[in-house]
Amino acid sequence: MGSQDNAAVASNSFLADKSAKVFVAGHRGLVGSAIVEKLKQHGFTNLILRSHAELDLTRQADVEAFFASEKPEYVIVAAAKVGGIHANNTYPADFIGINLQIQTNIIDSAYRTGTKKLLFLGSSCIYPKFAPQPIPEDALLTGSLEPTNEWYAIAKIAGIKMCQAYRIQYKWDAISGMPTNLYGPNDNFHPENSHVLPALMRRFHEAKVKGLKEVVVWGTGSPLREFLHVDDLADAVVFMMENYSGLEHLNVGSGKEVTIKELAELVKEVVGFEGDLVWDTTKPDGTPRKLMDSSKLAGLGWTPKISLKDGLVDTYKWYSENAKQ
Ligand SMILES: NC(=O)C1=CN([C@@H]2O[C@H](COP(=O)(O)OP(=O)(O)OC[C@H]3O[C@@H](n4cnc5c(N)ncnc54)[C@H](OP(=O)(O)O)[C@@H]3O)[C@@H](O)[C@H]2O)C=CC1
Ligand SMILES: C[C@H]1O[C@H](OP(=O)(O)OP(=O)(O)OC[C@H]2O[C@@H](n3cnc4c(=O)[nH]c(N)nc43)[C@H](O)[C@@H]2O)[C@@H](O)[C@@H](O)C1=O
C-alpha cells in the first residue's frame, strides 16, 4: 500500500478539545457503553448519543439528516449487528445486510458533513480460518474465511476497505481497529445468540441457583480464543483516536489465549458452580484458533491491563447485580 499511504492526511489531537462533539454509535451496547464511560473519564462533555429507537442506522435518509444537523467532529462506530457463533450461522442475511447498511451510512455521512476523524470497529473474524498465528494485520484477504461467520466478516472487511478508500481518495482521517473476542459489563447474555463467555456465565449461574448437577457446553472444548476486557478495548479506542492515523487497520488483543475448556473451567470457578461439564459436540467449534498479533498497537505504546481472571470477576459482579434473574 506504500504509494497510497496516508502521509497527506492531517491528524488532529483528539484529546486536546474535550468539548468537541463526539458521536458514539451503538452507545448502549457492550463496546459503546464502555467507550462512553472512558470518554467521560477523560472529561469529554459533548457526547452525541442516539438509541436504536431514536435513530435506526440502517435508514440512509435518517442517518444523513442526523449528520447534517449534528455535524459531529469525531465518530466512533460501535453499532452493529453482533452475536456469537450460533447467531452468525443462523442469520447470515442480517449479519451481512444490516452491518453493510449501518457502516456505509455512517462512514459516508460522516465524511460528507465534515467529521474530522472516524474510527470503525471490525473483528478478528475478518481473517482467514487458517491464518498464521498470531495473526498479523497483513493476513487479511489471504485465504478463505470461517464459514460460520463469513457473512459478518465480509461486511467488516468492506468497512475496513471503505475507510481506506475514503482516506486515499478524499484524504480523510478514517481508521479501523480489529478487536479480539470481547466481554464485560453490558454484554449480551442471551442463552443462544450471545458469545461463549456471557453464555457460559449465565448458564453456570442459573445452574448454581437451581442446584443442577450438569451444564452443557457447545463443541469439543478444543478451540482457542483470545479474550479482552471491554474496558481495555475502550482505552485502546481512545488511544487510537489520539495516536493513530494510518491506512492499515490495527489489531487489538490481549495476546493471551485459552481453550474453550479452560475458559469454561474458569467461568465455572468464578461463578461457583460445583457440578460437571457436558460437551454437546453437535454444536460447531468454529475457527480452531484466532490469536491476533497486536504488536503494531503495542509498538505505538498501548498495552492491555486487565487479566482474564480479574475481568471475569468484574463481569460476574456486574451480571449478579444487573441481569434479570
Ligand atoms: N462483542 C465482541 O466480542 C466483539 C465486538 N466487536 C465489535 O464491536 C462493535 C460493538 O459490538 P458489541 O458492543 O459487542 O455489540 P452490542 O450488540 O452489545 O451493541 C451493538 C449496539 O449497536 C446498536 N445497533 C444495532 N443495530 C442498530 C441499528 N440498526 N440502529 C441503531 N443502533 C443499532 C445496538 O442497539 P440495539 O441493541 O437496540 O439493537 C447496540 O446498542 C461491533 O462493531 C462489533 O463487531 C469486535 C470484536 C468482538
Ligand atoms: C467475536 C467473534 O465471535 C464469534 O466467533 P466465535 O469466537 O466462534 O464465537 P463464540 O463466542 O460464539 O464461540 C466461541 C467458541 O465457544 C464455543 N461455545 C461453547 N459453549 C458455547 C455457548 O454456550 N455459546 C456460544 N456462543 N459458544 C459456545 C463455540 O462452540 C466456539 O467454539 C463470531 O460471531 C465472530 O463473528 C466474532 O467476531
Side-chain angles (χ1 to χ4, degrees):
M1 290 185 180
S3 63
Q4 294 183 320
D5 214 340
N6 57 300
V9 178
S11 180
N12 302 283
S13 169
F14 176 61
L15 292 173
D17 179 9
K18 304 288 172 46
S19 65
K21 271 189 167 183
V22 185
F23 174 44
V24 181
H27 73 284
R28 288 186 163 176
L30 168 71
V31 170
S33 60
I35 292 172
V36 164
E37 201 46 47
K38 190 65 70 181
L39 292 173
K40 286 183 179 166
Q41 286 167 13
H42 276 278
F44 280 87
T45 55
N46 204 357
L47 303 182
I48 319 261
L49 309 172
R50 293 288 185 279
S51 68
H52 191 158
E54 289 164 338
L55 176 64
D56 183 343
L57 294 163
T58 63
R59 295 183 176 269
Q60 184 180 355
D62 293 354
V63 176
E64 285 175 356
F66 162 76
F67 272 88
S69 108
E70 291 293 344
K71 296 191 173 52
E73 290 164 74
Y74 296 97
V75 172
I76 299 169
V77 189
K81 173 75 181 170
V82 177
I85 193 166
H86 172 77
N88 269 269
N89 220 4
T90 311
Y91 310 109
D94 289 351
F95 276 84
I96 192 164
I98 293 174
N99 284 317
L100 283 172
Q101 288 174 318
I102 291 175
Q103 67 203 36
T104 304
N105 289 341
I106 295 178
I107 294 169
D108 189 66
S109 286
Y111 166 67
R112 292 190 189 286
T113 55
T115 294
K116 289 180 190 161
K117 182 169 191 163
L118 174 144
L119 186 151
F120 169 72
L121 287 172
S123 156
S124 57
C125 72
I126 57 164
Y127 292 113
K129 176 166 185 160
F130 298 110
Q133 308 281 330
I135 313 172
E137 282 86 354
D138 63 9
L140 186 66
L141 294 172
T142 56
S144 301
L145 297 163
E146 154 61 30
T148 55
N149 58 35
E150 64 179 319
W151 318 99
Y152 177 72
I154 291 284
K156 292 295 184 182
I157 293 169
I160 297 173
K161 290 292 165 193
M162 192 152 164
C163 289
Q164 291 179 344
Y166 277 54
R167 173 175 289 274
I168 292 165
Q169 186 174 338
Y170 300 130
K171 309 282 179 245
W172 184 51
D173 199 4
I175 60 171
S176 301
M178 297 304 117
T180 188
N181 290 40
L182 304 168
Y183 69 99
N186 288 315
D187 208 341
N188 166 13
F189 290 85
H190 188 277
E192 284 87 36
N193 292 335
S194 64
H195 291 104
V196 60
L197 195 153
L200 292 185
M201 188 166 281
R202 175 175 177 163
R203 219 170 288 147
F204 284 126
H205 176 81
E206 290 179 351
K208 181 178 80 168
V209 170
K210 291 178 188 159
L212 303 182
K213 294 197 165 38
E214 290 177 344
V215 157
V216 174
V217 187
W218 299 355
T220 62
S222 65
L224 285 151
R225 291 291 183 274
E226 178 191 22
F227 293 95
L228 182 74
H229 191 282
V230 74
D231 287 350
D232 272 335
L233 188 262
D235 194 51
V237 162
V238 173
F239 180 89
M240 288 186 283
M241 288 297 285
E242 177 67 11
N243 297 291
Y244 186 64
S245 179
L247 185 65
E248 195 172 42
H249 61 282
L250 283 182
N251 289 344
V252 190
S254 63
K256 306 230 162 49
E257 56 183 347
V258 290
T259 63
I260 295 302
K261 183 170 188 305
E262 287 165 339
L263 175 76
E265 296 290 353
L266 204 53
V267 177
K268 176 182 156 176
E269 181 194 322
V270 168
V271 170
F273 171 68
E274 290 178 349
D276 298 322
L277 306 186
V278 178
W279 295 91
D280 177 358
T281 53
T282 65
K283 294 285 198 298
D285 268 345
T287 198
R289 191 179 178 201
K290 48 175 174 178
L291 176 66
M292 295 205 298
D293 176 351
S294 302
S295 57
K296 286 214 166 95
L297 188 55
L300 294 172
W302 185 84
T303 46
K305 296 183 184 64
I306 305 169
S307 71
L308 180 57
K309 180 71 189 286
D310 288 351
L312 280 173
V313 170
D314 166 72
T315 307
Y316 187 52
K317 181 172 182 298
W318 183 90
Y319 178 79
S320 309
E321 291 167 0
N322 293 279
K324 292 188 192 81
Q325 309 291 330

